[in-house]
Coordinates of all heavy atoms in Angstrom, one line a residue:
M1 N 265.1 96.2 260.3 CA 265.9 95.9 259.1 C 265.5 97.0 258.1 O 264.9 96.9 257.1 CB 265.4 94.5 258.6 CG 265.9 93.4 259.2 SD 265.4 91.9 258.4 CE 263.6 91.9 258.5
S2 N 266.4 98.0 258.1 CA 266.2 99.1 257.1 C 266.8 98.7 255.8 O 266.6 99.3 254.7 CB 266.7 100.5 257.6 OG 268.1 100.3 257.7
W3 N 267.6 97.6 255.7 CA 268.3 97.1 254.5 C 267.3 96.4 253.5 O 267.5 96.1 252.5 CB 269.5 96.2 254.8 CG 269.2 95.0 255.5 CD1 269.4 95.0 257.0 CD2 268.9 93.8 255.2 NE1 269.1 93.6 257.4 CE2 268.8 92.9 256.3 CE3 268.5 93.2 253.9 CZ2 268.4 91.6 256.3 CZ3 268.2 91.8 253.9 CH2 268.1 91.1 255.0
L4 N 266.1 96.0 254.2 CA 265.0 95.3 253.4 C 263.8 96.0 253.5 O 263.2 96.1 254.6 CB 265.0 93.9 254.0 CG 263.9 93.0 253.4 CD1 264.0 92.7 251.9 CD2 263.9 91.7 254.2
T5 N 263.2 96.5 252.3 CA 262.0 97.2 252.4 C 261.0 96.5 251.3 O 261.5 96.1 250.2 CB 262.1 98.7 252.0 OG1 262.7 98.8 250.8 CG2 262.8 99.4 253.1
E6 N 259.7 96.4 251.6 CA 258.7 95.8 250.7 C 258.1 96.9 249.9 O 257.9 98.0 250.4 CB 257.8 95.0 251.6 CG 257.0 94.0 250.8 CD 256.3 92.9 251.7 OE1 257.1 92.4 252.5 OE2 255.2 92.7 251.4
S7 N 257.9 96.5 248.6 CA 257.1 97.4 247.8 C 255.8 96.6 247.2 O 255.7 95.5 247.5 CB 258.0 97.9 246.6 OG 258.3 96.8 245.7
D8 N 255.1 97.2 246.3 CA 254.0 96.6 245.7 C 254.3 95.4 244.8 O 253.5 94.4 244.8 CB 253.2 97.6 244.9 CG 252.5 98.7 245.7 OD1 252.4 98.4 246.9 OD2 252.3 99.7 245.1
T9 N 255.5 95.5 244.2 CA 256.0 94.3 243.3 C 257.0 93.4 243.9 O 257.2 92.4 243.2 CB 256.5 95.0 242.0 OG1 257.6 95.7 242.3 CG2 255.4 95.8 241.3
G10 N 257.4 93.7 245.1 CA 258.5 92.7 245.6 C 259.2 93.5 246.7 O 258.6 94.1 247.6
V11 N 260.6 93.5 246.7 CA 261.4 94.1 247.8 C 262.6 94.9 247.1 O 262.9 94.6 246.0 CB 262.0 92.9 248.7 CG1 260.8 92.2 249.5 CG2 262.8 92.0 248.0
V12 N 263.1 95.6 248.0 CA 264.4 96.4 247.6 C 265.3 96.1 248.8 O 265.0 96.3 249.9 CB 264.2 97.9 247.5 CG1 265.4 98.6 247.2 CG2 263.1 98.2 246.3
L13 N 266.5 95.7 248.5 CA 267.4 95.4 249.4 C 268.6 96.4 249.2 O 269.1 96.8 248.1 CB 268.1 94.0 249.2 CG 267.2 92.8 249.5 CD1 266.5 92.5 248.2 CD2 268.0 91.7 250.0
T14 N 269.2 96.7 250.3 CA 270.5 97.6 250.3 C 271.6 96.6 250.7 O 271.5 96.0 251.7 CB 270.3 98.8 251.4 OG1 269.2 99.6 251.0 CG2 271.6 99.7 251.3
I15 N 272.5 96.5 249.8 CA 273.6 95.5 249.9 C 275.0 96.2 249.8 O 275.1 97.2 249.0 CB 273.4 94.6 248.7 CG1 272.2 93.7 249.0 CG2 274.7 93.6 248.8 CD1 272.0 92.7 247.8
K16 N 275.9 96.0 250.8 CA 277.2 96.2 250.6 C 278.0 95.3 250.2 O 278.1 94.1 250.9 CB 277.8 96.8 252.0 CG 279.1 97.5 251.9 CD 279.5 98.2 253.2 CE 280.9 98.8 253.0 NZ 281.3 99.6 254.1
A17 N 278.6 95.2 249.0 CA 279.3 94.2 248.2 C 280.6 94.3 248.4 O 281.2 95.4 248.3 CB 278.9 94.1 246.7
T18 N 281.3 93.2 248.7 CA 282.8 93.1 248.8 C 283.2 92.1 247.7 O 283.0 90.9 247.8 CB 283.3 92.6 250.2 OG1 282.7 93.5 251.1 CG2 284.8 92.6 250.2
P19 N 283.9 92.6 246.7 CA 284.3 91.8 245.5 C 285.6 91.0 245.9 O 286.3 91.4 246.9 CB 284.5 92.7 244.4 CG 284.8 94.0 245.1 CD 284.1 94.0 246.3
R20 N 286.0 90.0 245.1 CA 287.3 89.3 245.2 C 287.3 88.5 246.5 O 288.4 88.4 247.1 CB 288.5 90.2 244.9 CG 288.6 90.8 243.6 CD 290.0 91.3 243.4 NE 290.2 91.7 242.0 CZ 290.3 92.8 241.5 NH1 290.4 94.0 242.4 NH2 290.5 93.2 240.2
A21 N 286.2 88.1 246.9 CA 286.2 87.2 248.1 C 286.5 85.7 247.9 O 286.5 85.3 246.7 CB 284.8 87.3 248.8
R22 N 286.7 84.9 248.8 CA 286.9 83.4 248.7 C 285.7 82.7 248.2 O 285.8 81.7 247.5 CB 287.5 82.8 249.9 CG 289.0 82.9 250.1 CD 289.4 82.2 251.4 NE 289.3 83.1 252.5 CZ 288.8 82.8 253.7 NH1 288.5 81.4 253.9 NH2 288.8 83.7 254.6
A23 N 284.5 83.2 248.6 CA 283.2 82.6 248.3 C 282.1 83.6 248.2 O 282.2 84.7 248.7 CB 282.8 81.6 249.3
N24 N 281.0 83.2 247.4 CA 279.9 84.1 247.4 C 279.0 83.8 248.7 O 278.7 82.6 248.8 CB 279.1 83.7 246.1 CG 279.8 84.1 244.9 OD1 280.6 85.0 244.9 ND2 279.4 83.6 243.8
E25 N 278.9 84.7 249.5 CA 278.3 84.6 250.8 C 277.7 85.8 251.5 O 278.2 86.9 251.2 CB 279.1 83.7 251.7 CG 280.4 84.5 252.1 CD 281.4 83.7 252.9 OE1 281.2 82.5 253.2 OE2 282.4 84.4 253.2
I26 N 276.9 85.6 252.4 CA 276.5 86.6 253.3 C 277.4 86.8 254.4 O 277.8 85.8 255.1 CB 275.0 86.4 253.8 CG1 274.0 86.4 252.7 CG2 274.7 87.4 254.9 CD1 272.6 86.0 253.1
A27 N 277.9 87.9 254.6 CA 279.0 88.3 255.6 C 278.3 88.8 256.9 O 279.0 89.1 257.9 CB 280.0 89.1 255.2
G28 N 277.0 89.0 256.9 CA 276.2 89.5 258.0 C 275.3 90.7 257.6 O 275.3 91.0 256.3
A29 N 274.5 91.2 258.5 CA 273.5 92.2 258.2 C 273.7 93.3 259.3 O 273.7 92.9 260.5 CB 272.1 91.7 258.2
D30 N 273.9 94.5 258.9 CA 273.9 95.7 259.8 C 272.5 96.3 259.7 O 271.7 95.9 259.0 CB 275.0 96.6 259.4 CG 276.4 96.1 259.4 OD1 276.7 95.1 260.3 OD2 277.3 96.5 258.7
A31 N 272.3 97.4 260.4 CA 271.0 98.0 260.4 C 270.8 98.6 259.0 O 269.7 98.6 258.6 CB 271.0 99.1 261.4
D32 N 271.8 99.1 258.4 CA 271.6 99.8 257.1 C 271.8 99.0 255.8 O 271.3 99.3 254.8 CB 272.6 101.0 257.0 CG 272.3 102.0 258.1 OD1 271.1 102.2 258.5 OD2 273.2 102.7 258.6
W33 N 272.5 97.8 256.0 CA 272.7 97.1 254.7 C 273.1 95.6 255.1 O 273.4 95.3 256.1 CB 273.9 97.5 253.8 CG 275.2 97.9 254.6 CD1 276.0 97.0 255.2 CD2 275.8 99.2 254.7 NE1 277.0 97.7 255.8 CE2 277.0 99.0 255.5 CE3 275.4 100.5 254.3 CZ2 277.8 100.1 255.8 CZ3 276.3 101.5 254.6 CH2 277.5 101.2 255.4
L34 N 272.9 94.8 254.0 CA 273.2 93.4 254.1 C 274.6 93.2 253.5 O 274.8 93.8 252.3 CB 272.3 92.6 253.2 CG 272.4 91.1 253.1 CD1 272.3 90.4 254.5 CD2 271.5 90.5 252.0
R35 N 275.6 92.6 254.2 CA 276.9 92.5 253.7 C 277.0 91.3 252.8 O 276.8 90.1 253.4 CB 277.8 92.5 254.9 CG 278.0 93.8 255.5 CD 279.0 93.7 256.7 NE 279.1 95.0 257.4 CZ 279.9 95.9 257.1 NH1 280.7 95.8 256.1 NH2 280.0 97.0 257.8
V36 N 277.5 91.3 251.6 CA 277.6 90.1 250.7 C 279.0 90.2 250.2 O 279.5 91.2 249.7 CB 276.6 90.2 249.6 CG1 276.8 89.1 248.5 CG2 275.2 90.2 250.1
R37 N 279.7 89.0 250.2 CA 281.0 88.8 249.7 C 280.8 88.1 248.3 O 280.0 87.1 248.2 CB 281.9 88.0 250.5 CG 282.2 88.6 251.9 CD 283.1 87.8 252.7 NE 283.4 88.4 254.0 CZ 283.4 87.8 255.0 NH1 283.1 86.5 255.2 NH2 283.5 88.4 256.2
L38 N 281.6 88.6 247.3 CA 281.4 87.9 245.9 C 282.8 87.6 245.4 O 283.8 88.3 245.6 CB 280.9 89.0 245.0 CG 279.4 89.4 245.3 CD1 279.1 90.8 244.6 CD2 278.4 88.3 245.1
Q39 N 283.0 86.4 244.7 CA 284.2 86.0 244.2 C 284.6 86.8 243.0 O 285.8 87.1 242.8 CB 284.1 84.5 243.8 CG 284.1 83.5 245.0 CD 284.0 82.2 244.5 OE1 283.0 81.9 243.6 NE2 284.8 81.3 245.0
A40 N 283.7 87.4 242.4 CA 283.9 88.1 241.1 C 284.7 89.4 241.3 O 284.6 90.0 242.4 CB 282.8 88.4 240.3
P41 N 285.6 89.8 240.4 CA 286.2 91.2 240.6 C 285.3 92.2 240.1 O 284.4 92.1 239.4 CB 287.4 91.0 239.6 CG 287.0 90.2 238.5 CD 286.1 89.2 239.2
P42 N 285.6 93.5 240.6 CA 284.8 94.7 240.2 C 285.2 95.2 238.9 O 285.6 96.3 238.8 CB 285.0 95.6 241.4 CG 286.4 95.3 241.8 CD 286.6 93.9 241.7
V43 N 285.2 94.4 237.9 CA 285.7 94.7 236.5 C 284.7 94.5 235.5 O 284.2 93.4 235.5 CB 287.0 94.0 236.2 CG1 287.5 94.3 234.8 CG2 288.2 94.3 237.2
D44 N 284.4 95.4 234.6 CA 283.4 95.3 233.5 C 282.1 94.8 233.9 O 281.5 93.9 233.3 CB 284.0 94.3 232.5 CG 285.3 95.0 231.9 OD1 285.3 96.2 231.8 OD2 286.2 94.2 231.4
G45 N 281.6 95.1 235.2 CA 280.3 94.7 235.7 C 280.3 93.2 236.1 O 279.2 92.7 236.4
Q46 N 281.4 92.6 236.2 CA 281.4 91.1 236.6 C 280.9 91.0 238.0 O 280.1 90.0 238.3 CB 282.8 90.5 236.6 CG 283.5 90.5 235.2 CD 284.8 89.9 235.2 OE1 285.2 89.0 235.9 NE2 285.8 90.5 234.4
A47 N 281.2 91.7 238.9 CA 280.7 91.7 240.4 C 279.2 91.8 240.5 O 278.5 91.1 241.1 CB 281.4 92.5 241.3
N48 N 278.7 92.9 239.7 CA 277.3 93.1 239.7 C 276.5 91.9 239.0 O 275.5 91.4 239.6 CB 276.9 94.4 238.8 CG 277.4 95.6 239.4 OD1 277.6 95.7 240.7 ND2 277.5 96.8 238.8
A49 N 277.2 91.3 238.0 CA 276.4 90.2 237.4 C 276.3 89.0 238.3 O 275.4 88.2 238.4 CB 277.2 89.9 236.1
A50 N 277.5 88.9 239.0 CA 277.6 87.7 240.0 C 276.7 88.0 241.1 O 275.9 86.9 241.6 CB 279.0 87.6 240.5
L51 N 276.5 89.1 241.7 CA 275.5 89.5 242.6 C 274.1 89.1 242.2 O 273.3 88.5 242.9 CB 275.5 90.9 243.0 CG 274.6 91.4 244.1 CD1 274.7 90.7 245.3 CD2 274.7 93.0 244.3
V52 N 273.7 89.5 241.0 CA 272.4 89.3 240.4 C 272.1 87.7 240.4 O 271.1 87.3 240.9 CB 272.2 90.0 239.1 CG1 270.9 89.5 238.5 CG2 272.2 91.5 239.3
R53 N 273.0 87.0 239.8 CA 272.9 85.5 239.7 C 272.8 84.9 241.1 O 272.1 84.0 241.3 CB 274.1 85.0 238.9 CG 274.0 85.2 237.5 CD 275.1 84.3 236.7 NE 276.4 84.5 237.2 CZ 277.2 85.4 236.9 NH1 276.9 86.4 235.9 NH2 278.5 85.5 237.4
W54 N 273.8 85.3 241.9 CA 273.8 84.8 243.3 C 272.5 84.9 244.1 O 271.9 84.1 244.7 CB 275.1 85.2 244.0 CG 275.2 84.6 245.4 CD1 275.5 83.4 245.9 CD2 274.6 85.3 246.6 NE1 275.5 83.3 247.2 CE2 274.9 84.4 247.7 CE3 274.0 86.5 247.0 CZ2 274.5 84.6 249.0 CZ3 273.8 86.8 248.2 CH2 274.0 85.9 249.3
L55 N 272.1 86.3 244.1 CA 270.9 86.5 244.8 C 269.7 85.9 244.2 O 268.8 85.5 245.0 CB 270.7 88.2 244.8 CG 269.8 88.7 245.8 CD1 270.2 88.4 247.2 CD2 269.8 90.4 245.6
A56 N 269.5 85.7 242.9 CA 268.4 85.1 242.3 C 268.4 83.6 242.8 O 267.3 83.1 243.1 CB 268.5 85.2 240.8
G57 N 269.6 83.0 242.8 CA 269.7 81.6 243.2 C 269.3 81.4 244.7 O 268.6 80.5 245.1
Q58 N 269.8 82.3 245.6 CA 269.5 82.3 247.0 C 268.0 82.5 247.3 O 267.4 81.8 248.2 CB 270.3 83.3 247.7 CG 271.8 83.1 247.8 CD 272.2 81.7 248.6 OE1 271.8 81.6 249.7 NE2 272.9 81.0 247.8
L59 N 267.4 83.4 246.5 CA 265.9 83.6 246.8 C 265.0 82.9 245.9 O 263.8 82.8 246.1 CB 265.6 85.2 246.4 CG 266.5 86.1 247.3 CD1 266.2 87.6 246.9 CD2 266.2 85.9 248.9
G60 N 265.4 82.0 245.0 CA 264.6 81.1 244.2 C 263.8 81.9 243.3 O 262.6 81.5 243.0
V61 N 264.3 83.0 242.7 CA 263.6 83.8 241.7 C 264.4 83.8 240.4 O 265.6 83.6 240.5 CB 263.3 85.2 242.1 CG1 262.5 85.3 243.4 CG2 264.5 86.0 242.4
P62 N 263.8 84.1 239.2 CA 264.6 84.1 238.0 C 265.6 85.3 238.0 O 265.3 86.4 238.7 CB 263.6 84.3 236.8 CG 262.3 84.4 237.5 CD 262.4 84.2 239.0
T63 N 266.7 85.3 237.3 CA 267.7 86.4 237.3 C 267.0 87.7 236.7 O 267.3 88.8 237.1 CB 268.9 86.0 236.5 OG1 268.6 85.6 235.2 CG2 269.8 85.0 237.2
R64 N 265.9 87.6 235.9 CA 265.3 88.7 235.3 C 264.5 89.4 236.4 O 264.2 90.6 236.2 CB 264.5 88.3 234.0 CG 263.3 87.5 234.5 CD 262.5 87.1 233.2 NE 261.3 86.2 233.5 CZ 261.4 84.9 233.6 NH1 262.6 84.3 233.4 NH2 260.3 84.1 234.0
A65 N 264.3 88.8 237.5 CA 263.5 89.5 238.6 C 264.4 90.4 239.5 O 263.9 91.0 240.3 CB 262.8 88.4 239.4
V66 N 265.7 90.1 239.3 CA 266.7 90.9 240.2 C 267.3 92.1 239.3 O 267.9 91.7 238.3 CB 267.8 89.9 240.7 CG1 268.8 90.6 241.5 CG2 267.1 88.9 241.4
E67 N 267.2 93.3 239.9 CA 267.8 94.4 239.1 C 268.5 95.4 240.1 O 267.9 95.7 241.1 CB 266.6 95.1 238.5 CG 266.9 96.5 237.8 CD 265.8 97.2 237.4 OE1 264.6 96.9 237.8 OE2 265.9 98.2 236.7
I68 N 269.8 95.7 239.7 CA 270.5 96.7 240.4 C 269.9 98.1 240.1 O 270.1 98.5 238.9 CB 271.9 96.7 240.3 CG1 272.4 95.4 240.9 CG2 272.7 97.8 241.0 CD1 273.9 95.0 240.5
V69 N 269.2 98.7 241.0 CA 268.6 100.1 240.6 C 269.5 101.3 240.9 O 269.4 102.4 240.3 CB 267.2 100.2 241.2 CG1 266.3 99.3 240.5 CG2 267.1 100.1 242.7
V70 N 270.3 101.2 242.0 CA 271.2 102.3 242.4 C 272.5 101.7 242.8 O 272.5 100.6 243.5 CB 270.6 103.1 243.6 CG1 271.6 104.1 244.1 CG2 269.2 103.7 243.2
G71 N 273.6 102.3 242.4 CA 274.9 102.0 242.8 C 275.7 100.9 242.1 O 276.5 100.2 242.7
G72 N 275.4 100.9 240.7 CA 276.0 100.0 239.9 C 277.5 100.0 239.9 O 278.2 99.0 239.8
G73 N 278.1 101.2 240.2 CA 279.5 101.4 240.2 C 280.1 101.6 241.6 O 281.2 102.0 241.8
A74 N 279.3 101.3 242.6 CA 279.6 101.6 244.0 C 279.5 100.3 244.9 O 278.9 99.2 244.4 CB 278.8 102.6 244.6
R75 N 280.1 100.1 246.0 CA 279.9 99.0 246.8 C 278.6 98.9 247.4 O 278.0 97.7 247.7 CB 281.1 99.1 248.0 CG 282.4 98.7 247.5 CD 283.4 98.6 248.6 NE 284.7 98.3 248.0 CZ 285.5 97.4 248.5 NH1 285.0 96.6 249.4 NH2 286.6 97.2 247.9
V76 N 278.0 100.0 247.8 CA 276.7 99.9 248.3 C 275.6 100.1 247.3 O 275.7 101.1 246.5 CB 276.5 101.1 249.4 CG1 275.0 101.0 250.0 CG2 277.5 101.0 250.6
K77 N 274.8 99.1 247.2 CA 273.8 99.0 246.0 C 272.4 98.9 246.6 O 272.1 98.3 247.6 CB 274.0 97.9 245.1 CG 275.5 97.9 244.7 CD 275.9 96.5 244.0 CE 277.4 96.4 243.7 NZ 277.8 97.6 242.9
R78 N 271.5 99.3 245.8 CA 270.0 99.0 246.1 C 269.5 98.1 244.9 O 269.7 98.4 243.8 CB 269.1 100.4 246.1 CG 269.7 101.2 247.3 CD 268.8 102.1 247.9 NE 267.4 102.1 247.9 CZ 266.7 101.5 248.9 NH1 267.2 101.1 250.1 NH2 265.3 101.5 248.8
V79 N 269.0 96.9 245.4 CA 268.7 95.9 244.5 C 267.1 95.6 244.6 O 266.7 95.3 245.7 CB 269.5 94.6 244.7 CG1 269.2 93.6 243.7 CG2 271.0 94.9 244.7
R80 N 266.4 95.7 243.5 CA 265.0 95.3 243.4 C 264.9 93.9 243.1 O 265.5 93.5 242.1 CB 264.3 96.3 242.5 CG 262.7 95.9 242.4 CD 262.1 96.8 241.4 NE 262.1 98.2 241.7 CZ 262.6 99.2 240.9 NH1 263.0 98.9 239.8 NH2 262.6 100.4 241.2
V81 N 264.1 93.2 243.8 CA 263.7 91.9 243.4 C 262.1 91.7 243.4 O 261.5 92.1 244.4 CB 264.2 90.8 244.5 CG1 263.9 89.5 244.2 CG2 265.6 91.0 244.9
R82 N 261.7 91.4 242.2 CA 260.3 91.2 242.0 C 259.7 89.9 242.3 O 260.5 88.9 242.1 CB 260.0 91.6 240.5 CG 260.3 92.9 240.1 CD 259.9 93.3 238.6 NE 260.2 94.7 238.3 CZ 261.3 95.0 237.8 NH1 262.3 94.2 237.7 NH2 261.6 96.4 237.6
G83 N 258.5 89.8 242.7 CA 257.7 88.5 242.9 C 258.1 87.9 244.2 O 257.9 86.7 244.4
I84 N 258.6 88.6 245.3 CA 258.9 88.0 246.5 C 258.6 88.9 247.7 O 258.5 90.2 247.5 CB 260.4 87.5 246.5 CG1 260.6 86.5 247.7 CG2 261.2 88.6 246.6 CD1 261.9 85.7 247.6
R85 N 258.3 88.4 248.9 CA 257.9 89.4 250.0 C 259.2 89.4 251.0 O 259.9 88.5 251.0 CB 256.7 88.9 250.6 CG 255.5 89.1 249.8 CD 255.1 90.4 249.7 NE 254.1 90.6 248.6 CZ 254.2 91.7 247.9 NH1 255.1 92.6 248.0 NH2 253.3 91.9 246.9
A86 N 259.2 90.3 251.8 CA 260.3 90.6 252.7 C 260.4 89.4 253.7 O 261.5 88.9 254.0 CB 260.0 91.9 253.5
K87 N 259.3 88.9 254.1 CA 259.4 87.7 255.1 C 260.0 86.4 254.4 O 260.8 85.8 255.0 CB 257.9 87.3 255.4 CG 257.9 86.3 256.5 CD 256.3 86.0 256.9 CE 256.2 84.9 258.1 NZ 254.8 84.7 258.4
E88 N 259.7 86.3 253.1 CA 260.4 85.2 252.3 C 261.9 85.5 252.2 O 262.6 84.4 252.3 CB 259.7 85.0 251.0 CG 258.3 84.5 251.1 CD 257.7 84.6 249.6 OE1 257.8 83.6 248.8 OE2 257.1 85.6 249.2
V89 N 262.3 86.6 251.9 CA 263.6 87.1 251.7 C 264.4 86.6 252.9 O 265.4 85.9 252.9 CB 263.8 88.4 251.3 CG1 265.3 88.9 251.4 CG2 263.3 88.8 250.0
H90 N 263.9 87.1 254.1 CA 264.6 86.9 255.3 C 264.7 85.4 255.6 O 265.8 84.9 256.0 CB 263.9 87.6 256.5 CG 264.8 87.7 257.7 ND1 264.8 86.8 258.6 CD2 265.7 88.7 258.0 CE1 265.6 87.1 259.6 NE2 266.2 88.3 259.2
A91 N 263.6 84.6 255.4 CA 263.6 83.2 255.7 C 264.6 82.5 254.7 O 265.3 81.5 255.2 CB 262.2 82.6 255.4
R92 N 264.8 83.0 253.5 CA 265.7 82.3 252.6 C 267.2 82.6 252.7 O 268.0 81.8 252.6 CB 265.3 82.5 251.1 CG 263.9 81.8 250.8 CD 263.4 82.1 249.4 NE 262.0 81.6 249.3 CZ 261.4 81.6 248.2 NH1 261.8 82.2 247.2 NH2 260.1 81.1 248.1
L93 N 267.4 83.8 253.1 CA 268.7 84.4 253.4 C 269.2 83.9 254.7 O 270.5 83.6 254.9 CB 268.8 85.9 253.2 CG 268.6 86.4 251.8 CD1 268.8 87.9 251.9 CD2 269.6 85.7 250.8
F94 N 268.4 83.7 255.7 CA 268.8 83.4 257.1 C 267.9 82.2 257.6 O 267.1 82.4 258.5 CB 268.7 84.6 258.0 CG 269.5 85.8 257.6 CD1 268.9 86.8 257.0 CD2 270.8 85.7 257.9 CE1 269.7 87.9 256.5 CE2 271.7 86.8 257.5 CZ 271.1 88.0 256.8
P95 N 268.1 81.0 257.0 CA 267.3 79.9 257.5 C 267.5 79.5 258.8 O 268.6 79.8 259.4 CB 267.7 78.8 256.5 CG 269.0 79.2 255.9 CD 269.0 80.7 256.0
P96 N 266.4 79.1 259.6 CA 266.7 78.6 260.9 C 267.7 77.6 261.0 O 267.7 76.7 260.2 CB 265.2 78.2 261.4 CG 264.4 78.1 260.2 CD 265.1 78.8 259.1
S97 N 268.5 77.6 262.1 CA 269.4 76.5 262.3 C 268.7 75.2 262.7 O 267.7 75.3 263.5 CB 270.4 76.8 263.4 OG 271.2 78.0 263.0
S98 N 269.3 74.1 262.3 CA 268.6 72.9 262.5 C 269.3 72.2 263.9 O 270.4 72.3 264.2 CB 268.9 71.7 261.4 OG 268.3 72.3 260.2

């Protein structure tokens, strides 16, 4: 999973975002990035803000713990999430089927 790397303070995710989708959801994971669909349009930072809020909610961390560090104006972004480990991220984004 090269889209998810652990650091001293948390994790960094590489995300390929698709705006103007029907729902906020994970569309899959490739070797290089996590594919995320967002309802918000890519206008005035709306999609970036939606990504931060959605990701914080999915991971159970405060929105202040989620920061887009690279790619604010691009579809492929690097997002830092503080206070969580890679194992927890994977478990929360891809829970086991019941």
Side-chain angles (χ1 to χ4, degrees):
M1 282 186 295
S2 65
W3 58 266
L4 176 61
T5 56
E6 198 160 313
S7 70
D8 292 341
T9 59
V11 295
V12 177
L13 296 92
T14 303
I15 294 176
K16 185 169 188 180
T18 303
R20 292 192 174 117
R22 276 185 271 142
N24 294 332
E25 63 186 0
I26 294 174
D30 296 334
D32 296 326
W33 50 63
L34 178 68
R35 293 180 180 270
V36 176
R37 294 183 183 135
L38 302 164
Q39 288 179 308
V43 178
D44 298 328
Q46 292 179 45
N48 287 341
L51 175 62
V52 168
R53 284 191 308 273
W54 178 82
L55 197 55
Q58 293 296 305
L59 298 177
V61 299
T63 54
R64 68 180 177 275
V66 181
E67 173 189 14
I68 297 174
V69 291
V70 176
R75 284 187 183 226
V76 178
K77 304 167 186 311
R78 299 208 18 107
V79 181
R80 177 181 298 126
V81 183
R82 292 183 182 85
I84 195 165
R85 295 286 167 221
K87 186 176 181 178
E88 293 173 89
V89 169
H90 196 271
R92 291 178 186 180
L93 293 180
F94 300 102
S97 300
S98 301

